[in-house]
Amino acid sequence: MKQDFWPVTQANNILKRLAKNQDTIILETGYGPSGLPHIGTFAEVARSNFVMMALKELAPELKLELIAFSDDRDGLRKIPPTIPNPDILKNHLGKPLSKIPDPFQKYSSFADYMNNQLCEFLDSFNFTYTYVSATKFYESGRMDEVLLKITDNYQEIKDLFIKTIHQDKRENWSPFLPICQKCGRLYTTRVTQVDAKLYQLEYSCDQGNSDQSPACQHKGKMEINGANIKLGWKVDWAARWYTLNVDYEMHGEDLIESARISQKICRILGKPAPLTYKYELFLDENGQKISKTKGNGVTIEEWINYSPFNGLLHFILANPAKPKKMGLDIIPRLVDEYLSAENKASTLDLYHPLWYIKGFNNYDASKVKQYPSYQLLANIAESLGEHDVQLLLDYSQKYQPEITIDEDFINFCQKVSQFVRHTSHKNKKDISINQDPALLDNLKKWQSYLQSLASNSVNPENAQKQLFSLAKENNLPMKIWFKFLYNVYLNKDAGPKLGQYFAILGKNKSLELTDIAIKKATIH
């Protein structure tokens, strides 16, 4: 139903919370620059942009801003496994990302390199956002007001927070992470005293837990301000909301408790907490959480290489509150879901996913409606063992003469070809072919049907009907018959509509592949 489409629901929820005379809505999205931007980064920014599009339609008089906040003042806890020159970072573990060298040796710091990657990444998709660096945010004094507020409410915040952590960590917990004035680390320091009247603290750098990030044992005293302090994560999140007047932020399912605590802290500081929206995490084809270290699932680069960009947007637009599988093998199906939506679409409004896609890049859907199934083209390329784009273009136009062979469709076929070229070896598996003689006999009858055709042309509807008729005439269960056909033709358990598959191949190529299929199915 219309009212259930999530960007509209979220936009209406935000509008209900507006303060009197409020003319600007601030949304925020966070980025941890210890690693490169990835599919999750893309999804969160894209979804935030979709909510902004709904807001703009519902309340065009309001100003909208999305802040992409980089937590580059966070410390480097471990050396990422995929970066070059790891030795450069060995002596800098525990220091803020903005204060350690760039292992890529292109920028003044590791954070500068990663932040530039973030901005280039977001700019490449034409996202609307305002970039903010945590380091500059702290060091410019923007955080000083909230740091003093936290000091004023120190005990109340501590009492709230320590209920959520283990007993042995409670005594030393502080919202403040002093940056050691001697060694520059922040995870090795421990607050030993807070003077709430003078807004000062004392600390000891004695919390090193390994030789890689040693505590220097320095004891010091410092002013509580943005030049010296980094807030612990959940307090930091609340402090950002307070300082930036954030109205809305999305977060992953793994941050539910963090968001609740941060909202409570924001209220303690004296401002309403923003509206948050929890989305589920991406899963690989086996239902496991996608992990950069494991390398499971699909990367943003693979999506771009193998899928039309609008197919990715359509996938991201599906209900974020439900877990989504996004393994490499299911890209064809996900693209076809997008193509199917295009074919069914008529009137578009803000309750329809394609309204957002069209608004995002102003595409022409009339051409897309002509496209053959991605899965069909992929199976053609895979079964023929050829990845020539021209072959896919020729076969497509033979099957659908109305297709316009323009740059967009050529690009579509190139993506299919690249997908097959890079995944066909992964998809190969041993298929146990059903040795029922009735199935082989039926396959030979299908061969006879193909031979009887007067021309090289195969009508997709007639071919599909014939396949169904052969099963009925010989009392073969449809499920077993079609699984058998997918096994012998495609070496898979499922696939495209076979009538369309044979139509796009034509009689001669279909007969050639049928000869091979009969040999596979022959009982020795």
Side-chain angles (χ1 to χ4, degrees), residues 284-426:
D284 66 14
E285 54 265 50
N286 298 315
Q288 300 297 310
K289 177 183 171 184
I290 284 179
S291 161
K292 284 188 285 184
T293 33
K294 287 182 183 177
N296 57 340
V298 186
T299 66
I300 189 72
E301 292 79 15
E302 286 172 328
W303 263 108
I304 293 168
N305 286 337
Y306 305 142
S307 165
F309 182 57
N310 289 346
L312 173 57
L313 292 178
H314 187 262
F315 172 74
I316 297 297
L317 268 161
N319 186 358
K322 292 184 178 180
K324 289 181 177 53
K325 288 186 178 180
M326 52 179 301
L328 192 60
D329 289 349
I330 60 177
I331 280 184
R333 175 174 64 78
L334 297 175
V335 173
D336 280 345
E337 286 175 3
Y338 157 67
L339 296 177
S340 175
E342 288 288 7
N343 281 311
K344 293 175 183 176
S346 52
T347 303
L348 300 185
D349 57 25
L350 77 167
Y351 299 96
H352 197 296
L354 298 182
W355 180 85
Y356 296 83
I357 297 176
K358 184 173 183 180
F360 195 86
N361 55 20
N362 198 29
Y363 71 103
D364 180 3
S366 61
K367 296 178 181 177
V368 178
K369 291 178 185 291
Q370 302 172 358
Y371 286 10
S373 155
Y374 188 112
Q375 293 181 84
L376 177 62
L377 291 180
N379 279 298
I380 292 292
E382 192 172 348
S383 62
L384 295 179
E386 300 177 46
H387 312 126
D388 182 8
V389 174
Q390 189 59 50
L391 178 136
L392 293 181
L393 295 173
D394 292 343
Y395 275 72
S396 298
Q397 199 163 41
K398 180 196 297 183
Y399 174 57
Q400 289 179 221
E402 70 275 13
I403 287 177
T404 302
I405 306 296
D406 59 7
E407 184 178 349
D408 290 337
F409 186 64
I410 293 171
N411 182 255
F412 180 79
C413 289
Q414 284 173 338
K415 290 180 183 296
V416 174
S417 177
Q418 287 170 186
F419 174 81
V420 173
R421 185 180 297 113
H422 288 96
T423 62
S424 57
H425 66 286
K426 298 179 183 177

Side-chain angles (χ1 to χ4, degrees), residues 8 47 72 132 136 163 218 281 324 368 390 440 518:
V8 185
R47 288 166 174 161
D72 57 10
V132 174
K136 292 179 181 176
K163 294 175 185 176
H218 175 74
L281 304 177
K324 289 181 177 53
V368 178
Q390 189 59 50
L440 176 59
I518 289 172

Side-chain angles (χ1 to χ4, degrees), residues 151-162:
T151 309
D152 293 339
N153 296 277
Y154 192 88
Q155 195 58 48
E156 187 177 359
I157 292 171
K158 183 171 183 176
D159 290 344
L160 167 70
F161 199 95
I162 63 174

